[in-house]
Amino acid sequence: HECIDSTLLILKNRLKYGIKVVKSYGNLPLVKCYSGQLSQVFMNIVSNAIDALEEIKGKTIFVPAITIATEVINSSDGDCVSSEFINNYVGGDRENSQQLSLATLNNDLSSEAAEKSQNPAWVAIRIADNGPGIPPEIQRRIFETFFTTKPAGKGTGLGLAITHQIVTEKHKGKLNLHSTPGTGTEFEILLPLI
C-alpha cells in the first residue's frame, strides 16, 4: 500500500484534472518484495491508465476513474493460481464480457516450492480504468519490449515488458490482463506470500 500511495503521490499532478481514484485496500500482511521495482510496476500501469483516460476525456460524458483494489486470496491447491481460479474468483460483469486474459507464471514457482511454503496465499493488486479498453490484436503484443500505441517518436513504449519481468521473474508472481474494448482495462498483479 505504501508503494501504491507513493506512486499516486508522484502522479498527483496528472490525476488532478478530473480523474477519480478509488482505493479499496484489503487487510494485507507485510509482503517481501523489491519495493522500488514494484513502485515502477505501479507507475507504468497507472501512467498507462491515465494516458488511456486522457485520450477519451471530453469526447464522452463520463467520469474517468482508476480503481485500485488489494486483497489476499488463497489458492486451493497451493502451487499456483490458475486462470480458471482467477476467472471464477474475479466475478462481476467480467463474467459476461469477452476478454483476453494474458497470464504468466514463472516455472520456478513449482509445486515443490509451494509445498516448502507454509502459506498458499497470494496478494492480489488490481488496477483498473474505465477507459476505451484494449483491442484484442494489441493485447497479444502488450508485453513486448518497446511496444507502444503512440505515434512514432512519441514515448518509448508502454513499460509493460519490464513490468512483466519484475512481477514474474523478480517476484515469482503473475500479471494478468483483463480488457474489454469500450469498457475498460484491468491489470491484476498476483504476488505469492512465500
Side-chain angles (χ1 to χ4, degrees):
H1 293 151
E2 288 178 23
C3 289
I4 296 168
D5 289 340
S6 295
T7 299
L8 293 174
L9 185 62
I10 292 168
L11 293 171
K12 187 176 183 177
N13 195 43
R14 291 191 64 201
L15 290 166
K16 68 181 179 183
Y17 299 108
I19 297 175
K20 181 178 176 184
V21 175
V22 178
K23 295 190 285 186
S24 178
Y25 289 170
N27 187 13
L28 301 182
L30 290 176
V31 178
K32 284 187 179 183
C33 65
Y34 298 101
S35 62
Q37 291 182 358
L38 274 186
S39 291
Q40 182 65 52
V41 166
F42 302 143
M43 179 72 72
N44 291 346
I45 293 173
V46 173
S47 291
N48 288 333
I50 293 168
D51 288 346
L53 291 169
E54 285 178 344
E55 276 180 30
I56 61 171
K57 201 165 79 174
K59 293 181 182 176
T60 59
I61 300 172
F62 86 113
V63 176
I66 297 172
T67 304
I68 303 171
T70 63
E71 67 180 324
V72 173
I73 56 176
N74 291 304
S75 172
S76 57
D77 59 4
D79 62 340
C80 71
V81 178
S82 69
S83 295
E84 182 181 356
F85 177 82
I86 291 166
N87 289 335
N88 291 338
Y89 189 89
V90 182
D93 60 1
R94 269 177 258 136
E95 290 177 343
N96 298 320
S97 64
Q98 280 190 324
Q99 61 184 328
L100 176 65
S101 177
L102 300 175
T104 57
L105 176 65
N106 189 304
N107 290 332
D108 292 342
L109 189 61
S110 63
S111 56
E112 292 173 30
E115 286 173 17
K116 291 177 187 173
S117 170
Q118 297 300 311
N119 193 350
W122 296 69
V123 169
I125 303 124
R126 297 182 187 95
I127 302 172
D129 67 63
N130 62 346
I134 302 169
E137 62 275 10
I138 292 177
Q139 289 183 31
R140 289 183 202 47
R141 300 189 58 207
I142 204 139
F143 296 117
E144 291 177 13
T145 305
F146 298 118
F147 177 74
T148 184
T149 56
K150 294 183 174 88
K154 300 276 184 179
T156 57
L158 299 172
L160 294 177
I162 190 70
T163 294
H164 182 269
Q165 182 182 18
I166 290 169
V167 171
T168 62
E169 293 177 23
K170 298 287 187 185
H171 291 88
K172 309 298 183 220
K174 292 181 78 165
L175 179 61
N176 298 303
L177 165 65
H178 307 281
S179 186
T180 304
T183 303
T185 300
E186 176 185 79
F187 282 91
E188 179 179 51
I189 301 156
L190 296 167
L191 302 174
L193 287 174
I194 297 177

